[in-house]
Structures are given as structure tokens and as C-alpha cells.
């Protein structure tokens, strides 16, 4: 038995409910609805990378979502224990669906900052843009045009790296995205944003 799995089956604790009401934009009834759906998909109360990818991939039947799923999973899994519990799930869904532009950009930055060092390098940008290219396939060709993922990543990186130090900080990422809505569309197109 995994730690916490037993109490998850019993229902959402009052403490967790209060936490989610304080830290999301959802009311008690909506949280309960999300919880029922989560538990139907994840009876143990934890979402594994494999299950997450199976569910997430259904949103993108024409593309290969596996690589991108790994990045989204890593960003949802805030305690880095290899599983997503209901609180992590709902906090991420709240940000990606109802968050302010700044909250969404902070979340997206966390996804692009693969190694968690506080900035994005060209390799990380290329990795994420490549996984987006695999997911969008032909159904969003207007976003990817005729550039390769590497060419697109270099162009985005150069635009974002305002001070040309080879690193994109959270501030550079946010200010560039807020100025260029096409960039936001490309960088977040396959996510839940």
C-alpha cells in the first residue's frame, strides 16, 4: 500500500479540501466533481506517467504526444516523487485553465526549464519545441510553418534572450511572451492552456 493511497480512497480530507478552496478558483462542489473523475481514472489516488500520457494523448489523436506528456507530467509533479496526486493535479489544472497570464507563463516557464536551474537554455528550448512539433502534426501547420523544430527554437531563443547571455530567465520569457501572442500560441498550443 502506498502512503496516502488509503486516505485517498476514503475521500478528500477536510484539510485538503480547505487547501484547494484557498489555492484554486474552484468551489467545493467543483473540487468534488474533479475528485470523483480523478479517482475514477486513478483508483489508487495517484496518476502515473503512463496513465497520465494515455489520458493526455487522447486530446491529440493526430500527433505523437509522448515526449510532450513527459514535460507536462514533470511540471504537474511538483514534489518530484514520480506521481501526481489530486492536489498537484487540481493546482495545475487551475493554473493552466483559469490562471492569470502571469501564472500561466510561470507554469510554462517551469515546463521549459527542464533541469530546474532557473533559466532556459537553447537545448531545453529545442527539446520542448521539438516535442510540440511532434504533437501538433498537420492540424496546426500555421504555427509551425516550414521551419524545423531546431530552427524555430533558435529563433524563439534569440528573441527571448534579451541580454544575449545564452540563458532565458523567467523575466525574459514572460516579457517576450506578453509582447508576442503568436509566441504564446506556439509555446503552449498542446498544453491545457
Amino acid at each position: 500500500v502506498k502512503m496516502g493511497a488509503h486516505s485517498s480512497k476514503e475521500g478528500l480530507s477536510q484539510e485538503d479540501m480547505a487547501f484547494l478552496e484557498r489555492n484554486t478558483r474552484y468551489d467545493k462542489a467543483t473540487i468534488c466533481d474533479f475528485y470523483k473523475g480523478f479517482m475514477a481514472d486513478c483508483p489508487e489516488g495517484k496518476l502515473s506517467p503512463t496513465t497520465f500520457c494515455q489520458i493526455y494523448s487522447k486530446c491529440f489523436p493526430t500527433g505523437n504526444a509522448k515526449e510532450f506528456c513527459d514535460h507536462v507530467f514533470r511540471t504537474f509533479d511538483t514534489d518530484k516523487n514520480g506521481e501526481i496526486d489530486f492536489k498537484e493535479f487540481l493546482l495545475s489544472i487551475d493554473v493552466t485553465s483559469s490562471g492569470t497570464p502571469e501564472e500561466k507563463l510561470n507554469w510554462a516557464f517551469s515546463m521549459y526549464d527542464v533541469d530546474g536551474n532557473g533559466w532556459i537554455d537553447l537545448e531545453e528550448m529545442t527539446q520542448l519545441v521539438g516535442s510540440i512539433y511532434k504533437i501538433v502534426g498537420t492540424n496546426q501547420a500555421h504555427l509551425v510553418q516550414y521551419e524545423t523544430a531546431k530552427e524555430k527554437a533558435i529563433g524563439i531563443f534569440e528573441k527571448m534572450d534579451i541580454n544575449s547571455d545564452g540563458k532565458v530567465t523567467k523575466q525574459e520569457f514572460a516579457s517576450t511572451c506578453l509582447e508576442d501572442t503568436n509566441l504564446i500560441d506556439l509555446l503552449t498550443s498542446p498544453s491545457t492552456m
Side-chain angles (χ1 to χ4, degrees):
V1 173
K2 292 179 192 164
M3 189 178 242
H6 179 72
S7 62
S8 295
K9 290 180 181 177
E10 300 298 314
L12 202 53
S13 72
Q14 286 184 328
E15 183 182 318
D16 285 348
M17 177 61 78
F19 174 85
L20 291 168
E21 284 182 286
R22 276 192 319 273
N23 292 286
T24 69
R25 292 157 191 84
Y26 301 123
D27 61 21
K28 192 173 196 163
T30 306
I31 293 169
C32 287
D33 287 344
F34 270 115
Y35 184 74
K36 285 177 191 158
F38 184 87
M39 293 306 291
D41 287 334
C42 313
E44 291 297 314
K46 304 283 184 182
L47 193 51
S48 71
T50 304
T51 307
F52 180 82
C53 195
Q54 288 168 349
I55 294 167
Y56 196 86
S57 295
K58 290 176 186 173
C59 302
F60 305 100
T62 62
N64 177 357
K66 169 70 178 109
E67 236 178 81
F68 195 77
C69 282
D70 292 342
H71 294 297
V72 176
F73 184 90
R74 177 182 43 77
T75 309
F76 273 51
D77 182 19
T78 54
D79 65 6
K80 307 300 178 212
N81 70 349
E83 300 174 314
I84 298 171
D85 64 26
F86 180 68
K87 284 192 334 188
E88 289 171 317
F89 172 78
L90 198 62
L91 289 168
S92 289
I93 293 297
D94 179 57
V95 167
T96 57
S97 64
S98 308
T100 65
E102 184 178 49
E103 288 171 328
K104 289 180 181 185
L105 288 172
N106 284 336
W107 190 90
F109 180 86
S110 297
M111 184 171 62
Y112 278 81
D113 182 14
V114 176
D115 61 12
N117 65 1
W119 66 80
I120 300 166
D121 60 32
L122 182 57
E123 186 180 327
E124 290 169 319
M125 181 68 72
T126 304
Q127 202 178 357
L128 264 291
V129 171
S131 63
I132 289 172
Y133 268 46
K134 288 178 184 172
I135 227 178
V136 297
T138 55
N139 63 341
Q140 293 195 29
H142 67 285
L143 290 176
V144 297
Q145 296 169 341
Y146 299 103
E147 294 174 287
T148 66
K150 176 94 174 158
E151 291 166 338
K152 188 67 168 179
I154 290 169
I156 293 169
F157 189 82
E158 287 174 353
K159 185 174 187 171
M160 287 188 163
D161 186 13
I162 296 166
N163 65 357
S164 302
D165 65 352
K167 303 173 187 173
V168 174
T169 64
K170 191 180 283 191
Q171 178 61 43
E172 288 172 320
F173 182 86
S175 64
T176 307
C177 286
L178 290 171
E179 290 171 12
D180 184 346
T181 55
N182 290 331
L183 202 52
I184 295 174
D185 290 345
L186 174 66
L187 295 178
T188 61
S189 58
S191 76
T192 54
M193 294 171 136

